[in-house]
């Protein structure tokens, strides 16, 4: 039987962090055991915010090196750069013609940007580019082009998958069952990993713990995690603590349980558990960091892998594009 398809993307807007790892990379690699996996670097989505071309290029290779270091096998996973697939734009336009504008008005990222302007008593659309506004349509094309069945992501992307489903259904309603209706794959326990300030860990909040920064930098970030001001002797609720909520994903089950008991008993300082978190992070990622550094230096290899992935991705998208062109009535025999 043909394998079903798992697809996801990550923007090259900063070095990948523990939230990306738990919400996307780890589940994505697990799904690649049973699904045909297509994972890509969403550089055109990143372009809605990044303005330094050289740095953007560097971050694209950085993301590729991170996935490889974490064990992605590029023979199995089709790993590519979004901008290497020109068919995406054709599909984006066609889908835009089936996207209710109101749907985009309600998309979180755009709405949040408008809300900030309104609060500051500026024009609602000030500083907002049309790329940010149409972001969800490009994302729908990413997903629908390859007939993806599931999309592993963190909670913040749920709405985008809902929008994708709405667009696909509008298209299918008119032309028949051409597009596969995808499902989000979001594991509740890792849906939203907190950053060092307790908000969602995100490259855009500068509150991340990078997966592969040098150990001294990771340590500094861990030591900077915000905690409450309870004195050491008092018992603490582990589930409400940012350190514990990261620790529990990286320590062994018995270590997590022991740490939970320690919180409930009290009688320890946050500095001590920060050190323990740092230790388990090192244990998890230290060996992979060496691989990351080696891959980062080998741009020729990374580039070759990305181009090879794009070729395979394009071949996968081609039959669907022919069907879509034919259905809407533009030339399809090319
Ligand atoms: P960021 O929010 O840091 O800019 P991206 O938007 O590139 O990261 O996200 C890439 C993937 O990682 C998405 O699927 C996203 O949902 C997931 N992700 C990002 N931050 C977190 C987090 N804090 N917890 C869980 N998943 C996350
Ligand atoms: N918007 C996603 C993010 O910010 C990245 C992304 C682009 C994506 N295209 C996608 C994720 C398609 C899943 C499927 O994280």
């Amino acid at each position: 039987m043909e394998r079903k398809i798992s697809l996801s993307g990550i923007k090259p807007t900063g070095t990948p962090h523990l939230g990306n790892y738990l919400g996307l990379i780890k589940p994505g690699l697990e799904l690649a055991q049973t699904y045909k996996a297509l994972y890509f670097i969403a550089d055109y989505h990143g372009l809605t915010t990044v303005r330094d071309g050289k740095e953007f290029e560097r971050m694209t290779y950085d993301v590729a090196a991170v996935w490889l270091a974490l064990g992605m096998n590029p023979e199995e996973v089709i790993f590519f750069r979004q901008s290497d697939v020109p068919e995406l734009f054709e599909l984006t336009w066609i889908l835009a013609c089936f996207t209710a504008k109101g749907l985009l008005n309600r998309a979180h990222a755009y709405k949040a940007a408008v809300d900030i302007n309104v609060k500051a008593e500026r024009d609602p659309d000030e500083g907002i580019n049309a790329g940010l506004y149409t972001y969800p349509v490009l994302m729908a094309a990413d997903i629908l082009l390859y007939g993806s069945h599931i999309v592993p992501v963190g909670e913040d992307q749920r709405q985008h998958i809902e929008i994708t489903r709405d667009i696909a259904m509008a298209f299918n309603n008119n032309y028949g069952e051409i597009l596969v209706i995808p499902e989000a794959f979001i594991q509740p326990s890792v849906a939203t990993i907190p950053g060092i300030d307790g908000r969602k860990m995100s490259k855009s909040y500068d509150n991340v713990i990078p997966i592969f920064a040098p150990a001294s930098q990771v340590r500094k970030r861990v030591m900077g995690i915000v905690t409450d001001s309870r004195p050491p002797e008092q018992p603490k609720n582990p589930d409400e603590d940012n350190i514990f909520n990261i620790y529990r994903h990286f320590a062994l089950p018995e270590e997590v349980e022991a740490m939970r008991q320690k919180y409930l008993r009290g009688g320890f300082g946050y500095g001590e558990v920060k050190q323990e978190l740092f230790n388990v992070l090192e244990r998890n990622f230290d060996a992979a960091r060496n691989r990351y550094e080696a891959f980062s230096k080998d741009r020729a290899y990374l580039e070759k892998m990305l181009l090879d992935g794009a070729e395979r991705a394009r071949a996968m998208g081609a039959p669907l594009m022919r069907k879509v062109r034919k259905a809407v009535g533009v030339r399809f025999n090319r």
Side-chain angles (χ1 to χ4, degrees), residues 177-205:
E177 299 302 306
I178 291 177
L179 303 174
V180 173
I181 310 296
E183 305 255 355
F185 179 90
I186 303 173
Q187 292 168 306
S189 67
V190 293
T192 308
I193 303 299
I196 62 171
D197 60 358
R199 292 188 294 169
K200 170 193 124 83
M201 188 178 289
S202 173
K203 285 168 270 180
S204 34
Y205 295 154

Side-chain angles (χ1 to χ4, degrees), residues 28-29 32 37-39 67 72-79 309 312:
L29 291 176
L38 282 87
Y39 300 136
W67 277 84
M72 180 193 63
N73 175 354
E75 304 280 313
E76 274 166 29
V77 173
I78 299 183
F79 191 82
R312 287 149 70 205

